[in-house]
Amino acid sequence: MQIYYLDDELILLEIFEETFSTKKIVITTFHDPSDFVSAVKSKPPQLLFIDYRLPRTNGDKLAQELKISVPIALVTGDINLKTSFKFDAIFEKPFKIREIQDFINSYL
């Protein structure tokens, strides 16, 4: 399974990759929204995680622009924010490893 994660916090990208990578799960992380969009369009993954607050955009707008039919989870420090995109899951920062692992496992 290929998973992409976009976040502007480098330490969270490292933690995510180290925590959730396995023989069956390949995590590719992105710090730049345009690199993320290019990768999604050229080689769509099976699962996406997107941070809400990003440079020059936000996860809600980005998810709407992708027009891709894979599960998309939002990761945010503000769990009470209103989104217009219907995310498959919303995880609060700092994320709980067990919750994300359960979400990933539900798509394996």
Side-chain angles (χ1 to χ4, degrees), residues 3-5 9-10 16 35-36 38 41 48 54 57 70 78 80-81 83 88 98 101 103:
I3 297 173
Y4 291 172
Y5 178 36
E9 295 181 62
L10 293 175
F16 194 93
D35 292 343
F36 175 78
S38 294
K41 289 182 178 180
L48 293 172
L54 298 163
T57 190
V70 302
D78 181 8
N80 296 316
L81 66 89
T83 61
D88 295 280
R98 189 64 180 154
Q101 189 66 63
F103 179 73

Side-chain angles (χ1 to χ4, degrees), residues 61-85:
K61 290 178 187 174
L62 200 59
Q64 291 177 56
E65 293 169 14
L66 288 175
K67 296 183 181 10
I68 186 170
S69 59
V70 302
I72 303 176
L74 183 69
V75 183
T76 179
D78 181 8
I79 200 69
N80 296 316
L81 66 89
K82 302 290 185 233
T83 61
S84 45
F85 185 82

Side-chain angles (χ1 to χ4, degrees), residues 10-93:
L10 293 175
I11 189 69
L12 288 182
L13 294 174
E14 290 174 23
I15 291 169
F16 194 93
E17 187 173 6
E18 289 174 14
T19 304
F20 301 110
S21 291
T22 67
K23 289 181 181 180
K24 293 182 182 181
I25 300 170
V26 177
I27 307 289
T28 304
T29 61
F30 298 87
H31 184 254
D32 181 270
S34 21
D35 292 343
F36 175 78
V37 170
S38 294
V40 168
K41 289 182 178 180
S42 67
K43 188 177 177 197
Q46 285 78 41
L47 199 55
L48 293 172
F49 287 83
I50 303 174
D51 181 26
Y52 182 78
R53 295 193 199 296
L54 298 163
R56 302 173 306 281
T57 190
N58 67 52
D60 192 41
K61 290 178 187 174
L62 200 59
Q64 291 177 56
E65 293 169 14
L66 288 175
K67 296 183 181 10
I68 186 170
S69 59
V70 302
I72 303 176
L74 183 69
V75 183
T76 179
D78 181 8
I79 200 69
N80 296 316
L81 66 89
K82 302 290 185 233
T83 61
S84 45
F85 185 82
K86 174 124 175 50
F87 289 94
D88 295 280
I90 297 177
F91 297 102
E92 186 175 13
K93 287 182 181 181

